[in-house]
Amino acid sequence: MRQQVRIPLPDGGALAATMALPEGAAPVAGWPGVVVVHEIYGVEPDILDVVDLFAEHGYAAVLPDLYSHGTRAGCLARVRPRPPGSGRRVAAHLRLLDEHVANRG
């Protein structure tokens, strides 16, 4: 069953979220859980169906509305395209991490 919840944020605000739990009593250790992330357009009916599907398969699922804190335009501005070359910098950093792990042995 789907329900609306609030996720507290460090600044005192909160994200609106949709949570779905499997039917029946929870196991002693609790339900395994997943966080479902919506597309850039926000929470749409199809992603709510995904939340329900996880619950039907035995998972507690939560879908935070990432646009619910602040303005949608402000949130979208934060996901603007990265500057040219940023992908190369990330790849170079990952190569350094691989080398570090390989040399630890």
Side-chain angles (χ1 to χ4, degrees):
M1 181 169 90
R2 218 188 282 164
Q3 59 185 316
Q4 297 302 307
V5 297
R6 309 274 304 159
I7 300 171
L9 297 173
D11 69 358
L15 286 178
T18 301
M19 182 174 69
L21 299 174
E23 291 189 23
V28 174
W31 299 110
V34 295
V35 176
V36 179
V37 179
H38 61 73
E39 298 176 5
I40 195 167
Y41 306 110
V43 176
E44 298 281 334
D46 60 331
I47 201 70
L48 291 169
D49 292 341
V50 171
V51 171
D52 293 338
L53 189 62
F54 274 115
E56 289 170 14
H57 284 86
Y59 292 87
V62 65
L63 168 65
D65 181 349
L66 301 177
Y67 297 142
S68 66
H69 183 65
T71 66
R72 186 176 181 133
C75 292
L76 286 170
R78 285 183 236 140
V79 295
R80 67 188 174 280
R82 301 284 185 239
S86 62
R88 288 189 298 275
R89 288 192 297 272
V90 169
H93 181 70
L94 291 174
R95 280 193 297 278
L96 287 173
L97 286 174
D98 285 343
E99 290 173 19
H100 174 72
V101 170
N103 292 329
R104 286 177 67 191

